[in-house]
Amino acid sequence: MKNFLTPLRFVLSFVWIICAPSLQAQDTILLMNPSFEDIPHRGSFGGPPIKMWDDCGFNTFPNESPPDIHSVSEGAWGVGLQPQEGATYLGLVTRANGTYESVGQRIFTPLKAGTCYSLTAMMTQSPIYKSATVETAKNGTRNLENFIQPVKVIVWGGIYTCEKLEILAESSAVTNHEWQPFELTLKPHNNYTYITIEAFYSKSQEKKFNGHVLIDNLSPIIAIDCK
């Protein structure tokens, strides 16, 4: 029996060495273009899409412009912060008319019901984020409004593009003016193949307002122990 078990242990150990990286990979979901690297541009009707990300605000608010991709050189809307990683980063706004921006993408390893996940996002606010609005355009003015109210970020789970079936996590209001990590714990109750990242009004603000959040360097989504 002893002679039989020794080669058996060897075989099992060999199988574990071969399979372990694959098993670990199943617990890590890599996002595409997690630092929002793209040609810097102001979100505009008919403008270029964000590389590997869908504009999820279009279906809900077709009359509003899409999100911005910022860089120091572009200086869009007066935002001049250095990226936390790479060359560009994402800007999402909320508006006083009740509309807000969001982006999403398909994930090729689905989130599993009953599993908890960790997602870290580098986020900040700019002291200046001056932009036109639909209202100012209707009035024929060139006045810019400063979108400086703090907002929070909500992560949604869905099955189809930009579908929002369940809130998986939400951040506190982003008030810092330097890049800081925000750790989000995703707790899906169903399986999902799509995530949406949305800027939304903070709970402390009942009135809708012009606000924004800047996002960069999303981490992989990693399975963790549920607490």
Side-chain angles (χ1 to χ4, degrees):
M1 182 65 69
K2 181 177 180 181
N3 293 335
F4 173 75
L5 288 176
T6 299
L8 178 61
R9 291 193 184 99
F10 175 80
V11 171
L12 292 176
S13 298
F14 179 77
V15 171
W16 171 252
I17 291 172
I18 296 299
C19 295
S22 176
L23 294 173
Q24 292 174 357
Q26 293 177 7
D27 293 334
T28 300
I29 301 171
L30 300 178
L31 297 175
M32 296 179 292
N33 192 19
S35 289
F36 304 97
E37 299 302 314
D38 206 340
I39 298 173
H41 60 271
R42 305 182 187 207
S44 59
F45 298 107
I50 298 173
K51 183 179 179 181
M52 300 295 183
W53 291 90
D54 299 310
D55 172 18
C56 290
F58 177 76
N59 291 336
T60 309
F61 311 116
N63 295 323
E64 297 289 353
S65 59
D68 307 308
I69 292 294
H70 294 272
S71 72
V72 175
S73 60
E74 175 71 10
W77 315 126
V79 178
L81 296 177
Q82 292 282 349
Q84 195 278 328
E85 197 274 338
T88 56
Y89 51 93
L90 174 70
L92 298 176
V93 304
T94 62
R95 306 180 185 92
N97 64 359
T99 66
Y100 43 87
E101 293 178 339
S102 57
V103 296
Q105 70 172 237
R106 180 185 175 187
I107 51 176
F108 292 93
T109 301
L111 298 173
K112 296 180 180 179
T115 302
C116 295
Y117 299 87
S118 173
L119 170 64
T120 299
M122 300 301 296
M123 298 196 289
T124 187
Q125 253 212 344
S126 170
I128 300 174
Y129 204 113
K130 290 188 176 181
S131 176
T133 66
V134 171
E135 285 72 22
T136 58
K138 287 180 180 179
N139 295 334
T141 69
R142 296 186 177 181
N143 295 332
L144 300 180
E145 298 188 25
N146 207 359
F147 285 58
I148 56 171
Q149 291 291 333
V151 305
K152 65 181 179 180
V153 167
I154 299 177
V155 180
W156 291 85
I159 299 174
Y160 303 108
T161 302
C162 296
E163 187 178 39
K164 298 191 297 184
L165 294 179
E166 179 184 348
I167 293 178
L168 304 178
E170 56 183 286
S171 74
S172 57
V174 180
T175 60
N176 45 289
H177 288 163
E178 66 287 324
W179 292 105
Q180 290 185 8
F182 282 71
E183 296 183 8
L184 303 170
T185 300
L186 284 56
K187 299 180 178 180
H189 293 92
N190 294 287
N191 297 341
Y192 297 115
T193 54
Y194 199 96
I195 63 165
T196 297
I197 298 174
E198 174 184 275
F200 201 73
Y201 311 95
S202 54
K203 292 181 179 179
S204 60
Q205 302 278 354
E206 294 183 2
K207 184 179 179 181
K208 308 304 181 187
F209 54 80
N210 293 326
H212 82 275
V213 61
L214 305 175
I215 307 174
D216 198 3
N217 197 12
L218 298 174
S219 74
I221 300 174
I222 301 173
I224 59 174
D225 292 333
C226 297
K227 297 180 179 180

